[in-house]
Amino acid sequence: MAALSLFTAGLLLGGCLTALSLWLVSGLTMPIPAVWRYGAATFIAVVAILRDADVLRFPMPQNARQIPQEVFQRHLLRGSLQFGFELGTGVRTYVSSSAPYVVASMLLLSSDGFVAALVAGLGFGVGRATTPLARVISRDGVDWDARLAGRLPIITIGICSVLAAVAAFRLFGVWST
């Protein structure tokens, strides 16, 4: 359980680092009119929904490799923290859905502030931590994996749909003023 706790801590730290980095860079998008920024965020979310629904097919930019097993072989607890951190950043390994890209684009385009970025980073870490925790709790990892595989498209489309709605509400709110 200590390894899972450190893994989760790493996920949270990695998610926060990436989100706060995107928040810092988001200041560069501030000169772009808000209606364009929210329009772009809405467009990206809709394209992500279509991608996750297999209507559109294109690869997402990612580091398509796994984190090496040597990370755990040196020291299990330190390796769990390192693996969690690297996975939490979202830049060192596979990303299976479009939702993290939508969140990243919204952080980059909305310039909502430090707290919003921190919450998004924590949310990304918690979301990634939920998977191994739920798998451990299920006590039947093979069955759990099969159920997840069947439901994952619905989950990711749902997440992207909520994000698209948020971006669209922001777009129409800015547009109407």
Side-chain angles (χ1 to χ4, degrees):
M1 203 49 126
L4 185 56
S5 297
L6 286 170
F7 174 69
T8 301
L11 287 168
L12 295 171
L13 291 170
C16 287
L17 175 68
T18 297
L20 293 174
S21 297
L22 288 166
W23 170 72
L24 285 172
V25 174
S26 73
L28 299 174
T29 68
M30 289 305 293
I32 301 170
V35 70
W36 291 10
R37 289 185 286 122
Y38 294 131
T42 304
F43 176 77
I44 290 167
V46 169
V47 168
I49 292 166
L50 295 173
R51 181 185 178 275
D52 286 349
D54 281 334
V55 174
L56 297 176
R57 294 195 179 159
F58 57 90
M60 298 299 278
Q62 66 178 334
N63 191 352
R65 63 183 178 156
Q66 293 182 334
I67 295 169
Q69 289 293 322
E70 293 83 40
V71 168
F72 293 107
Q73 292 171 350
R74 286 183 230 131
H75 191 274
L76 179 63
L77 296 180
R78 191 172 33 242
S80 297
L81 180 65
Q82 179 183 343
F83 179 70
F85 180 79
E86 292 179 16
L87 191 62
T89 63
V91 297
R92 174 87 196 259
T93 189
Y94 294 101
V95 179
S96 58
S97 81
S98 302
Y101 295 98
V102 175
V103 172
S105 68
M106 289 179 75
L107 283 171
L108 199 56
L109 295 169
S110 71
S111 301
D112 277 337
F114 176 82
V115 173
L118 187 62
V119 169
L122 289 171
F124 183 73
V126 167
R128 282 227 160 163
T130 301
T131 302
L133 181 60
R135 191 173 193 275
V136 167
I137 291 170
S138 78
R139 298 183 193 266
D140 185 354
V142 174
D143 182 52
W144 189 90
D145 289 343
R147 286 184 284 135
L148 176 65
R151 294 178 181 144
L152 195 57
I154 296 166
I155 293 168
T156 59
I157 290 169
I159 291 169
C160 289
S161 297
V162 168
L163 295 170
V166 168
F169 285 135
R170 302 279 306 266
L171 171 64
F172 291 116
V174 170
W175 201 338
S176 66
T177 56

